Amino acid sequence: MKYYRVWKALLKIRFQNLMMFRLGFWGPFFVDGSLFLVQLAVFDAIYANVERIDSWGRGEMILYIGTFSLINAVNMVVYFFGVNGIAGKIRSGEMDLYLTKPVSPLFRLTFECMNPGALPLLFFSICIIGYGVRTAGITVSAGRMLGYLFFLGIMILLYYEMEVLIRSVAFYLVSNARMEQLEEAGLELCMNLPGIAFYGIYKFVFYCILPYGIMATLPVQSLIGEMSWGTAVFGIAVVCAFSGLTALVWRNGIKHYNSASS
């Protein structure tokens, strides 16, 4: 209940700050919506002449794109702008202010910059998912939908963990710019290419090291009935492993953090 009240206070403060400048509140709706439509046009151009990727046809690919877009939309609405500032606050010493508050610094950093301007992305992504299901001719049972929602939830968590982990490197290095460039390149590739297209060393990298390849692939496999028990266990194990790694890196980083006053 304590953290729920803190979350409500952060949300209220965020809306008050945004509404001080109305264009700053409504502008992102137009910008993010337009950017999404441009990305959709790019995806359509890429897959216009591609009939199948492995066992997936056009419908499954549309479903994949919608799922990845939905994961990214949740990221943009809820925590991206807060988490993205972690490295800068570490370098500037502003992290001192978060460590003195009677609440987890990571909790506050995560939710203090929620972005309602990205809400249209959620709506558009859900529409694409619905269109993908219809195009692929998938019969969605209650069990498949529950499996899809479960893997969607833990992949949103994995996306968050990867963002925190990469930015927590700033506790140990002067700059994490290269890590963020690697993150951007991995995301851009995996947004356009599903995990089922990777083999050999590429599959190891994008399933285990930079697991962007499984983030939308596993929810889609669950929904279309292609997921084996081994794949399901593997996906859960990856999320658990990165949860532990992120917590370890963050805690040790806070422990060894040199404040601006030191």
Side-chain angles (χ1 to χ4, degrees):
M1 288 302 297
K2 171 187 173 182
Y3 279 92
Y4 174 69
R5 290 194 296 269
V6 171
W7 178 83
K8 284 181 62 178
L10 291 173
L11 182 62
K12 182 179 179 180
I13 293 170
R14 179 63 173 166
F15 268 88
Q16 288 175 342
N17 291 338
L18 289 172
M19 292 305 293
M20 289 176 64
F21 304 96
R22 298 300 175 90
L23 183 60
F25 179 79
W26 294 109
F29 282 88
F30 174 76
V31 174
D32 289 338
S34 300
L35 179 61
F36 182 84
L37 293 176
V38 170
Q39 290 175 335
L40 192 59
V42 172
F43 292 146
D44 185 64
I46 292 173
Y47 289 103
N49 299 310
V50 178
E51 294 185 359
R52 305 197 70 82
I53 295 181
D54 200 353
S55 61
W56 287 9
R58 183 174 176 82
E60 286 82 2
M61 281 306 308
I62 294 172
L63 181 56
Y64 174 83
I65 291 169
T67 301
F68 215 128
S69 296
L70 181 59
I71 293 172
N72 185 57
V74 172
N75 162 58
M76 296 295 291
V77 171
V78 180
Y79 53 79
F80 172 77
F81 292 97
V83 170
N84 196 48
I86 289 176
K89 289 177 172 59
I90 293 171
R91 289 191 291 267
S92 67
E94 193 178 347
M95 184 64 73
D96 294 7
L97 301 176
Y98 292 84
L99 296 176
T100 58
K101 304 298 181 182
V103 67
S104 164
L106 184 56
F107 181 88
R108 182 172 178 182
L109 283 164
T110 299
F111 295 109
E112 71 175 359
C113 292
M114 289 176 280
N115 176 35
L119 285 172
L121 300 182
L122 291 173
F123 172 75
F124 291 144
S125 299
I126 292 171
C127 289
I128 292 174
I129 291 170
Y131 179 62
V133 169
R134 180 179 178 181
T135 302
I138 301 168
T139 301
V140 181
S141 64
R144 287 188 180 184
M145 179 56 68
L146 288 174
Y148 177 79
L149 293 176
F150 171 76
F151 279 99
L152 182 67
I154 65 173
M155 291 305 140
I156 290 172
L157 175 61
L158 179 61
Y159 198 117
Y160 168 75
E161 291 167 347
M162 290 298 297
E163 287 195 344
V164 173
L165 182 61
I166 288 173
R167 284 149 186 82
S168 296
V169 172
F171 281 118
Y172 309 94
L173 301 176
V174 175
S175 173
N176 69 327
R178 295 297 183 187
M179 293 291 294
E180 292 186 11
Q181 290 174 357
L182 185 63
E183 173 193 46
E184 183 178 351
L187 280 171
E188 184 176 354
L189 174 64
C190 293
M191 277 186 172
N192 297 322
L193 198 61
I196 60 169
F198 294 117
Y199 291 93
I201 186 64
Y202 299 104
K203 186 170 185 177
F204 175 74
V205 170
F206 291 110
Y207 272 53
C208 301
I209 307 301
L210 295 173
Y212 302 118
I214 69 172
M215 287 182 181
T217 301
L218 297 193
V220 172
Q221 286 182 322
S222 176
L223 186 62
I224 65 179
E226 283 190 359
M227 177 178 286
S228 65
W229 281 105
T231 302
V233 171
F234 171 79
I236 295 171
V238 169
V239 175
C240 291
F242 274 92
S243 296
L245 179 60
T246 302
L248 178 64
V249 171
W250 176 263
R251 284 199 301 265
N252 286 338
I254 291 293
K255 186 184 301 183
H256 296 95
Y257 168 67
N258 292 319
S259 69
S261 60
S262 62

